């Protein structure tokens, strides 16, 4: 009986370990701040990254015909120009918190494949 | 009025401390007077909590902006019905509401006649007293939920328009009912350990509390998904965000516990395991506010960032160490009386299912905390995207459905290979043949095989119902319809469980259909232009601008046709909210049993001269079955819950 539990346990752990290994390998995304990304410069080109920040005032250019959204993500004094192709998400406005996911290119523009607005399900007003 | 609320909470805190101590001492010394006094203390807490909540709601309804919580989450134009949404939207407000539910449940427990429980109930009330004292401390000592607004205002910040939705009115309370219910289950289990009550009589009561909590939590999660789908405009319902996982994990553990209670009741088996499950479930219930209050960063949900996380973390550690320590000391009194005779038995399958649920939770929690651990040991800041969860949890969930199907065909103790083979011949073999045919013929792919695995338990359930109905029809000469209902009524926990299984299977099929067989299209259209998605053609006919006190509405009119035939007109909206200075889409959904057509407006300029607008359209196959599945879960849960009202003799239960 004991042996059976042992064998079962080993199979289970092996299966879970395999799943973890497979799943972790393909889905890790690195988080950086805007200034960290700019410091990294060319080391950061062409790798999947997430960058969090705020949408810069007056930076939003929305081309509805081409479904192209250009804006800048700021954090402190650092600013990162972003291009995203797709629909403009809800709540997209200057000053909103945003996470952009995609790749940084040698032309110093971040091409986002995905943009996540902070879902304000727990809405807190900006506190002065 | 406001001061009454705060004072009520402070008195309730004192009463909770008193009741916890008095109930424990009373239970230990057998002093009836002390037990009664503690019991009355619990009733007083519930009354005071209710008073405080009433004071709070009065402040919300009358828009008393001198209160900080009201000024932060309500505004003059907020409809009264959303006063509750505004309460849940606050960090301390949600904890106030949750604690109030625990106090109500404790009062229900205190009011029940419990001659059969003797020591256990006072002891459980003592544990609940401790939990209540903690929750009361959070809303009085740590944060004063009745805090005055430092700056006088004539109008509040207002409630996020996304939360002004029916789904958001019932999603949080359902979750909190589930969480509070699991607190009661936890208190009972601790009480059984402390009072060394090895008899399983209390499991009947526990099973119902767990079922109740589980059902509420499951439906709460589902309503959250419904809200996300109908309100957020991204067309999805689940993103594996930490906040969502926080609600899912206790539910999965609760599911495992409900299955292990069957073993407790029928076979007096798996005691220690069940206790561990309840303890871990409660720790995960506490993890939920830890995550939502900013203890673990969530990329999607905005921060509530409160100063609660350290206190909640401390509570989690105390709970974990204290209860597992107690279990270690006491577990010898609960040694298994009977070992399973065979792995090929329902016991074996139940045990395996239980383990799979725990593995599932392990994979999810790994995905939630691993990035933080890597960061904590000095690694780079990282995240796991949804692929991690899909690829690690997906196969495990499929395995669950497979065992769900196998389990129903197995008997207790030991199934013979012969009967197993015969049962599988009727179910698994046809399923396998269809799966191979699907793959070879090329009409389907691996996803359709996944759908088939989820459908497999459906076949075994129907087969079982068919056999049971037929034998009743033969034995009692009942007609088939009558025989079917009597069959279900004769063993409500079992058949209620099957109905829940059907609900879960429908949800799984809906997830597979909408994730892998949908279509999506985005386009900016001028009036008169059209776009296609799937086999639908959407023509943009008209845009109307309307203004009310809180928002400027842009309402589009879209004619939907399929194969040259006009089938519907849809009206997605794109609204600008003045107070929040934000645009929010109101999606339009056309639902049929086969698929949903989902249209959201992603942009328009509000310029009467330029009526062009961007639309996002999705076809989500089978999506409505997700909500229908929720209905089945509720129905099955009620049937299974009903069963204990008249206790059936054990022999009758076992014979079925």
């Amino acid at each position: 009986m004991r042996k059976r539990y042992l064998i079962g346990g080993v199979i289970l752990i092996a299966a879970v370990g395999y799943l973890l290994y497979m799943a972790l390998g393909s889905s890790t995304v690195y988080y950086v701040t805007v200034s960290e990304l700019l410091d990294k410069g060319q080391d950061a080109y062409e790798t999947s990254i997430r960058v969090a920040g705020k949408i810069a005032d007056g930076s939003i250019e929305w081309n509805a015909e081409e479904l192209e959204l250009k804006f800048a993500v700021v954090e402190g004094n650092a600013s990162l120009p972003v291009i995203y192709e797709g629909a403009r998400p809800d709540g997209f406005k200057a000053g909103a918190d945003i996470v952009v996911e995609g790749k940084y290119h040698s032309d110093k523009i971040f091409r986002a494949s995905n943009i996540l607005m902070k879902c304000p399900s727990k809405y807190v007003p900006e506190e002065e | 009025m406001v001061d009454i609320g705060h004072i009520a909470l402070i008195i309730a805190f004192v009463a909770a401390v008193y009741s916890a101590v008095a109930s424990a001492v009373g239970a230990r010394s057998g002093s009836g007077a002390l037990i009664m006094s503690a019991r009355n203390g619990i009733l007083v807490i519930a009354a005071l909590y209710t008073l405080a909540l009433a004071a709070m709601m009065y402040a919300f309804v009358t828009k008393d902006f001198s209160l900080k919580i009201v000024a932060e989450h309500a505004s003059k134009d907020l409809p009264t019905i959303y006063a509750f949404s505004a309460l849940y939207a606050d960090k301390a407000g949600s904890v106030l509401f949750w604690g109030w539910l625990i106090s109500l449940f404790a009062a229900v427990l205190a009011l029940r006649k419990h001659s059969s429980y003797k020591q256990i109930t006072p002891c459980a009330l003592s544990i609940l007293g401790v939990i209540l004292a903690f929750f009361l401390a959070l809303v009085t000592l740590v944060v004063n939920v009745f805090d005055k607004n430092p700056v006088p205002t004539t109008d509040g910040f207002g409630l996020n328009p996304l939360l002004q939705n029916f789904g958001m009115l019932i999603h949080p309370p359902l979750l909190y009912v589930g969480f509070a219910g699991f607190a009661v289950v936890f208190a009972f289990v601790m009480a059984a350990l402390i009072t060394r009550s090895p008899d399983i009589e209390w499991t009947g009561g526990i099973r119902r509390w767990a079922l109740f909590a589980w059902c509420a939590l499951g439906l709460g999660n589902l309503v959250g998904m419904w809200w996300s789908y109908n309100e957020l405009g991204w067309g999805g319902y689940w993103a594996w965000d930490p906040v969502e996982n926080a609600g899912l994990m206790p539910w999965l553990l609760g599911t495992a516990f409900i299955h292990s209670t069957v073993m407790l009741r029928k076979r007096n088996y798996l005691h220690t395991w069940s206790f561990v499950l309840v303890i871990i479930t409660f720790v995960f219930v506490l993890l939920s506010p830890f995550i939502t209050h900013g203890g673990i960063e969530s990329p999607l949900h905005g921060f509530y960032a409160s100063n609660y996380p350290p206190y909640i973390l401390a509570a989690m550690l105390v709970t974990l160490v204290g209860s597992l320590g107690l279990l270690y000391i006491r577990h010898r009194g609960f040694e298994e009386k009977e070992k399973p005779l065979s792995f090929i038995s329902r016991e074996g399958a139940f045990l395996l299912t239980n383990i799979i649920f725990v593995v599932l939770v392990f994979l999810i929690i790994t995905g939630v905390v691993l990035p933080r651990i890597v960061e904590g040991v000095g690694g780079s800041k990282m995240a796991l995207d949804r692929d991690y969860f899909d690829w690690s949890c997906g196969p495990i969930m499929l395995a669950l459905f497979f065992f769900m199907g196998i389990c129903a065909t197995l008997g207790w103790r030991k199934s013979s290979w012969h009967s197993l083979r015969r049962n599988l011949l009727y179910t698994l073999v046809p399923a396998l043949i269809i799966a191979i045919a699907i793959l070879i013929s090329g009409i389907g792919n691996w996803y359709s095989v996944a759908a088939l695995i989820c459908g497999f338990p459906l076949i075994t359930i129907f087969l079982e119902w068919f056999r049971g109905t037929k034998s009743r029809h033969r034995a009692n000469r009942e007609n088939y319809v009558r025989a079917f209902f009597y069959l279900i009524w004769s063993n409500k926990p079992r058949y209620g469980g099957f109905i829940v299984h059907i609900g879960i299977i429908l949800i799984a099929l809906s997830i597979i259909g909408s994730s892998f067989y949908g279509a999506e299209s985005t386009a900016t259209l001028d009036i008169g232009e059209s776009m296609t998605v799937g086999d639908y053609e959407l023509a943009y006919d008209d845009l109307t601008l309307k203004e009310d006190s809180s928002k400027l509405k842009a309402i589009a009119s879209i004619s939907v046709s399929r194969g040259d035939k006009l089938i519907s007109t849809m009206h997605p909206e794109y609204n600008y909210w003045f107070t929040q200075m934000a645009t929010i889409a109101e999606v339009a959904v056309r639902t049929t049993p086969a698929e949903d057509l989902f249209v959201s407006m992603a942009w328009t300029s509000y310029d009467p001269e330029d009526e062009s607008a961007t639309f996002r359209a999705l076809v989500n196959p089978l999506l409505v079955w997700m909500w229908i599945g929720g209905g089945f879960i509720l129905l099955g849960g009620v049937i299974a819950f009903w069963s204990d009202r008249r206790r059936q003799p054990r022999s009758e239960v076992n014979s079925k």
Side-chain angles (χ1 to χ4, degrees), chain A residues 121-124, chain B residues 53 56-57 60 69 73 81-98 100-101 145 159 163 165-177 292-293 304:
Chain A
S121 72
K122 311 286 188 277
Y123 182 75
V124 179
Chain B
L53 190 70
M56 179 60 81
M57 291 328 293
F60 266 111
I69 182 173
H73 302 284
I81 187 168
Y82 294 121
F84 273 100
S85 303
L87 176 74
Y88 314 137
D90 184 76
K91 50 193 189 289
S94 61
V95 170
L96 174 75
F97 184 80
W98 180 359
W100 173 68
L101 286 171
V145 70
L159 182 67
L163 303 184
N165 168 284
F166 177 70
M168 260 306 135
L169 214 49
I170 58 173
H171 161 68
L174 277 173
L175 290 186
Y176 291 130
V177 166
T292 47
H293 286 256
Y304 238 176

Side-chain angles (χ1 to χ4, degrees), chain B residues 33-53:
Chain B
L34 214 49
I35 289 175
M36 276 313 281
S37 157
R39 194 198 83 138
N40 291 338
I42 294 284
L43 298 180
V44 167
I45 297 168
L48 289 169
Y49 239 130
T50 309
L51 181 67
L53 190 70

Side-chain angles (χ1 to χ4, degrees), chain A residues 27 29 31 62 64 93 118-120, chain B residues 160 300 302 381 383 385 524 603:
Chain A
S27 57
V29 194
Y31 250 111
W62 164 238
K93 59 167 181 174
K118 291 254 182 203
C119 151
Chain B
N160 186 328
L300 293 183
K381 201 173 175 205
D385 61 20
T524 300
W603 175 81

Side-chain angles (χ1 to χ4, degrees), chain B residues 529-592:
Chain B
E529 289 182 333
S530 60
M531 65 192 279
T532 51
V533 57
D535 48 4
Y536 295 96
E537 171 127 352
L538 312 179
Y540 177 33
D541 295 335
D542 187 29
L543 188 74
T544 319
L545 296 180
K546 259 189 201 160
E547 195 176 326
D548 66 22
S549 63
S550 56
K551 56 191 175 287
L552 174 63
K553 299 173 109 176
I555 307 164
S557 184
I558 292 176
S559 311
V560 182
S561 47
R562 183 158 55 179
D564 296 333
K565 200 174 139 217
L566 185 71
I567 51 175
S568 170
T569 311
M570 294 173 78
H571 300 283
E573 298 177 12
Y574 191 66
N575 303 333
Y576 182 79
W577 291 71
F578 304 126
T579 315
Q580 292 78 8
M581 294 190 293
T583 46
I584 285 170
E586 288 289 330
V587 306
V589 182
R590 177 182 183 271
T591 298
T592 63

Side-chain angles (χ1 to χ4, degrees), chain A residues 75-108:
Chain A
E75 176 235 335
N77 289 325
S79 171
L80 173 73
V82 179
I83 295 180
Y84 171 71
E85 301 203 348
R88 195 183 153 125
D90 253 3
F92 189 90
K93 59 167 181 174
D97 285 313
I98 192 168
V99 177
V100 294
E101 198 176 299
K103 287 177 180 169
Y104 189 44
H105 288 257
S106 50
D107 58 4
K108 307 285 179 202

Side-chain angles (χ1 to χ4, degrees), chain B residues 92-308:
Chain B
S94 61
V95 170
L96 174 75
F97 184 80
W98 180 359
W100 173 68
L101 286 171
I102 298 178
S103 79
L104 285 193
F105 292 172
V108 168
L109 209 60
L111 284 173
R112 266 180 58 182
K113 290 201 183 79
H114 39 256
S115 55
S116 58
Y117 298 133
K118 290 192 185 93
Q119 268 192 314
I120 293 187
T121 306
C123 201
L125 285 178
S126 170
I127 306 276
L128 283 172
V130 174
I131 295 172
L132 282 170
F134 174 70
F135 274 83
L136 283 159
L138 287 183
V139 290
T140 51
L141 304 176
V142 181
V143 172
N144 178 6
V145 70
F146 285 99
D147 234 351
K148 291 277 192 293
N149 192 7
V151 212
T153 44
T154 51
D155 199 0
F157 285 99
L159 182 67
N160 186 328
L162 289 172
L163 303 184
Q164 299 185 27
N165 168 284
F166 177 70
M168 260 306 135
L169 214 49
I170 58 173
H171 161 68
L174 277 173
L175 290 186
Y176 291 130
V177 166
F179 288 166
F182 279 122
V184 175
V185 177
F186 171 78
F188 253 122
V189 161
M190 285 297 101
L193 282 177
I194 292 167
T195 58
R196 299 174 205 266
S197 310
D199 64 338
I200 57 160
E201 205 171 352
W202 53 271
T203 53
I206 283 228
R207 194 190 73 94
R208 296 188 79 192
W209 276 106
L211 204 58
F212 169 65
W214 176 87
C215 224
L217 189 54
L219 292 175
N221 279 319
L222 208 59
V223 172
M225 290 156 74
W226 182 86
W227 169 79
S228 170
Y229 180 70
N230 284 293
E231 190 66 29
L232 291 188
W234 63 300
Y237 39 82
W238 193 262
W240 291 110
D241 183 77
V243 170
E244 295 167 357
N245 293 337
L248 177 67
M249 288 185 289
W251 183 78
L252 289 172
L253 290 167
T255 314
F257 174 66
I258 283 177
H259 286 89
S260 77
T261 58
V262 179
M263 306 286 282
L264 278 173
R265 245 158 57 102
K266 296 206 168 177
R267 309 286 299 150
N268 204 8
Y269 173 64
L270 284 185
H271 274 114
T272 314
W273 171 263
S274 303
F275 290 156
V276 172
L277 276 182
V278 169
I279 291 165
I280 304 288
T281 306
F282 187 62
V283 171
F284 272 86
V285 163
L286 289 174
L287 179 71
S288 178
F290 177 75
I291 290 176
T292 47
H293 286 256
I296 288 178
E297 190 182 327
S298 150
L300 293 183
H301 291 70
F303 300 124
Y304 238 176
S306 75
N307 43 358
Y308 284 157

